[in-house]
Amino acid sequence: MKAANSSKQLFENPFLERFSRSNAIAVIASLFGLALIIFLYGVYFRLVPLGLQILLVFVGLFAFSFFEYLIHRYVFHAGNYREGKNWQSKLHGIHHDIPSDRERLTLPMPLALGVSLVVFFLFKFLIGSLAYGFFPGFISGYALYLLIHYWIHTRKPPKNSLKVLWRNHHIHHHVDENKAYGVTTPFWDWVFRTLP
Ligand SMILES: [Zn+2]
Ligand SMILES: [Zn+2]
């Protein structure tokens, strides 16, 4: 049994309530798996020159770090995200209420994979076969973000330069919610002057 304050009910409906919880490691592994499958599909059918495909993986990773910053700052923290029953509070307010709730550190599996596939087809529509490099990078960036965020909330900071990620995110949670929106890198906080 969990302590009463270690989790919080999001939905009245028991099915939705169960659905709103996720196994973070399983979701993260599935997203890395999806990235790998799409990458290998592109390699096998030679849809993009391999060198370009690998370069696009790094472009996708970098693009995700910017997307992560924008979404966290302008979508997750939009409006009354800490109060009420609006979707921002279900998506992110709940995490600020109980940062240590391990079952609420990622989207539920069907939603995480479903949204990722929609994003893949969107990229494919926009940039054609370049998506076989860009999407694996982008979605690996997402999985990496979820993994680092999971570690920040479940492990002690490491004794190397990565500890700054722990420090910044704890400042975001416990000192100033309008600072340190970046989880995987402080770069965009530096660019947009929200570094703590
Ligand atoms: Zn936040
Ligand atoms: Zn957090």
Side-chain angles (χ1 to χ4, degrees):
M1 277 296 274
K2 285 196 174 95
N5 65 351
S6 68
S7 195
K8 186 177 163 184
Q9 189 177 349
L10 263 189
F11 297 97
E12 302 270 331
N13 180 308
F15 174 76
L16 280 180
E17 177 60 16
R18 177 70 208 99
F19 179 80
S20 75
R21 297 171 185 280
S22 64
N23 178 331
I25 294 301
V27 171
I28 292 163
S30 303
L31 290 170
F32 276 127
L34 178 66
L36 190 65
I37 288 167
I38 303 263
F39 182 83
L40 292 177
Y41 184 93
V43 173
Y44 185 78
F45 291 103
R46 301 186 186 187
L47 300 173
V48 205
L50 187 58
L52 177 62
Q53 197 183 357
I54 292 169
L55 179 71
L56 284 165
V57 169
F58 288 98
V59 176
L61 270 171
F62 184 68
F64 181 82
S65 74
F66 183 44
F67 183 76
E68 170 201 318
Y69 180 89
L70 291 180
I71 291 281
H72 189 185
R73 179 167 179 181
Y74 295 107
V75 179
F76 287 0
H77 280 252
N80 231 351
Y81 79 103
R82 292 297 293 275
E83 287 157 47
K85 303 215 164 197
N86 56 15
W87 58 271
Q88 290 98 329
S89 85
K90 289 191 177 9
L91 207 57
H92 194 61
I94 182 107
H95 174 56
H96 274 269
D97 287 345
I98 309 173
S100 60
D101 186 351
R102 289 173 184 229
E103 291 188 320
R104 295 261 172 67
L105 289 176
T106 72
L107 285 178
M109 179 80 88
L111 213 54
L113 287 176
V115 170
S116 299
L117 280 173
V118 169
V119 167
F120 170 66
F121 287 110
L122 180 72
F123 288 168
K124 194 140 182 293
F125 174 73
L126 292 173
I127 57 175
S129 54
L130 298 181
Y132 289 96
F134 187 78
F135 175 82
F138 193 84
I139 228 62
S140 297
Y142 178 41
L144 204 60
Y145 153 77
L146 292 175
L147 183 62
I148 291 174
H149 188 230
Y150 179 82
W151 280 340
I152 288 174
H153 286 294
T154 56
R155 296 179 174 206
K156 289 200 172 74
K159 290 186 173 63
N160 55 40
S161 57
L162 285 177
K163 69 170 179 262
V164 69
L165 301 179
W166 267 250
R167 198 203 60 182
N168 284 353
H169 195 63
H170 286 305
I171 289 174
H172 176 74
H173 272 289
H174 306 296
V175 181
D176 186 350
E177 295 179 358
N178 301 312
K179 291 269 158 71
Y181 292 103
V183 171
T184 50
T185 167
F187 177 71
W188 298 108
D189 284 297
W190 174 73
V191 171
F192 294 108
R193 298 173 184 276
T194 49
L195 259 190

